[in-house]
Amino acid sequence: MLDLNKIDKYVINLKSRKDRLDHIKKEFEYAKWNFNLFEAIDTGSYEGCALSHVEVAKIAKERDLDYVMVFEDDIFFMPYGLKLLSECLSELESKEWNLFHLAPSIHRRINYSSGNLVDLSAEHPPKRPSDRGIYGLSAYIYKKSLCDEIVKWDTVDGDLWANPATQKPIDALFDEYIYPNFQSYCAKLPIVTQIMDHSTINNGVWN
């Protein structure tokens, strides 16, 4: 089974949010993990968030990492989270996969799979007008096969993904391009979730 202790972990944190850095340090102490701090790119908008995830992918590519774990600084582990994560990784041993999401925010109908895993890349019911997609990048693991794909966020044109004027957030890259084309999974329950806190990007308190 994949040994998480041997995987490089990056936490994205704005320099101005020491409160969140203090918070995430406690969460990683709980998980008994070390992490690399990535100082988030601050644009005051969703673009800074996207660019931060892109830059971490570039670092992973430069370092030729087989796997990388990426965390935003406002997550906390559910009481059952680490046990469920271990069970999911055990199930992934028998599958081909590129990405495992610890807590996607699902705003559409999906087909649930058997066991602990949900196949985000499966054929799901068509989106209704009120459906948005599968959003959020609070915590995820991916293989180096995705490094070249994540950096396509600001692609102006392309057959499978385009983002003119970078109008789409990075969540949309994953929802519209990564999940449909690169085998991705999550757990049947969230392994982590986000604290109710003031968002620098959205300028409000979100739960």
Side-chain angles (χ1 to χ4, degrees), residues 8-18 20-22 24-25 28 34-40 52 56 59 63 69 71-73:
D8 283 32
K9 303 167 185 69
Y10 288 85
V11 168
I12 297 172
N13 169 255
L14 282 168
K15 189 175 182 179
S16 60
R17 295 303 303 267
K18 185 179 181 299
R20 285 196 177 181
L21 180 57
D22 291 340
I24 201 68
K25 284 179 178 178
F28 271 73
N34 297 316
F35 67 87
N36 301 292
L37 181 62
F38 178 84
E39 187 175 314
S52 296
V56 171
I59 292 170
R63 298 189 62 189
M69 296 183 75
F71 297 84
E72 294 180 347
D73 57 7

Side-chain angles (χ1 to χ4, degrees), residues 13 28 30 46 50 82 95 106 125 134 150 167 173 181 190 205:
N13 169 255
F28 271 73
Y30 167 76
Y46 68 89
L82 293 175
K95 300 180 183 296
I106 300 173
I134 303 172
I150 293 172
Q167 293 181 337
L173 170 73
N181 295 292
V205 175

Side-chain angles (χ1 to χ4, degrees), residues 48-92:
C49 176
L51 291 169
S52 296
H53 284 273
V54 166
E55 287 303 313
V56 171
K58 289 179 180 178
I59 292 170
K61 181 180 178 180
E62 290 169 1
R63 298 189 62 189
D64 196 29
L65 301 177
D66 290 328
Y67 298 88
V68 63
M69 296 183 75
V70 183
F71 297 84
E72 294 180 347
D73 57 7
D74 60 347
I75 63 101
F76 70 90
F77 287 91
M78 301 299 286
Y80 57 81
L82 293 175
K83 180 176 182 293
L84 178 57
L85 176 57
S86 178
E87 291 171 354
C88 287
L89 292 177
S90 180
E91 290 183 33
L92 286 174

Side-chain angles (χ1 to χ4, degrees), residues 12-201:
I12 297 172
N13 169 255
L14 282 168
K15 189 175 182 179
S16 60
R17 295 303 303 267
K18 185 179 181 299
D19 57 322
R20 285 196 177 181
L21 180 57
D22 291 340
H23 161 78
I24 201 68
K25 284 179 178 178
K26 293 177 182 177
E27 291 300 311
F28 271 73
E29 287 173 4
Y30 167 76
K32 297 184 173 65
W33 293 339
N34 297 316
F35 67 87
N36 301 292
L37 181 62
F38 178 84
E39 187 175 314
I41 298 170
D42 188 0
T43 64
S45 72
Y46 68 89
E47 290 186 347
C49 176
L51 291 169
S52 296
H53 284 273
V54 166
E55 287 303 313
V56 171
K58 289 179 180 178
I59 292 170
K61 181 180 178 180
E62 290 169 1
R63 298 189 62 189
D64 196 29
L65 301 177
D66 290 328
Y67 298 88
V68 63
M69 296 183 75
V70 183
F71 297 84
E72 294 180 347
D73 57 7
D74 60 347
I75 63 101
F76 70 90
F77 287 91
M78 301 299 286
Y80 57 81
L82 293 175
K83 180 176 182 293
L84 178 57
L85 176 57
S86 178
E87 291 171 354
C88 287
L89 292 177
S90 180
E91 290 183 33
L92 286 174
E93 282 288 290
S94 61
K95 300 180 183 296
E96 292 292 327
W97 63 280
N98 294 284
L99 180 145
F100 179 76
H101 203 312
L102 277 66
S105 182
I106 300 173
H107 297 274
R108 62 162 300 175
R109 295 175 297 170
I110 63 170
N111 292 321
Y112 279 87
S113 312
S114 60
N116 289 306
L117 296 174
V118 176
D119 185 349
L120 297 176
S121 303
E123 184 175 347
H124 298 297
K127 284 186 179 180
R128 299 166 296 187
S130 59
D131 289 341
R132 294 175 60 212
I134 303 172
Y135 287 172
L137 291 174
S138 56
Y140 57 108
I141 310 169
Y142 60 88
K143 294 183 178 181
K144 65 180 178 181
S145 54
L146 283 188
C147 290
D148 285 334
E149 309 305 327
I150 293 172
V151 301
K152 293 178 180 177
W153 168 74
D154 59 357
T155 299
V156 176
D157 52 35
D159 294 334
L160 295 176
W161 169 258
N163 192 9
T166 61
Q167 293 181 337
K168 295 182 179 182
I170 192 150
D171 311 60
L173 170 73
F174 281 72
D175 179 54
E176 299 173 13
Y177 175 63
I178 299 292
Y179 302 145
N181 295 292
F182 302 91
Q183 189 61 57
S184 305
Y185 292 92
C186 70
K188 64 182 179 180
L189 294 172
I191 292 170
V192 304
T193 189
Q194 292 172 285
I195 58 175
M196 188 170 80
D197 190 26
H198 181 271
S199 169
T200 305
I201 293 174

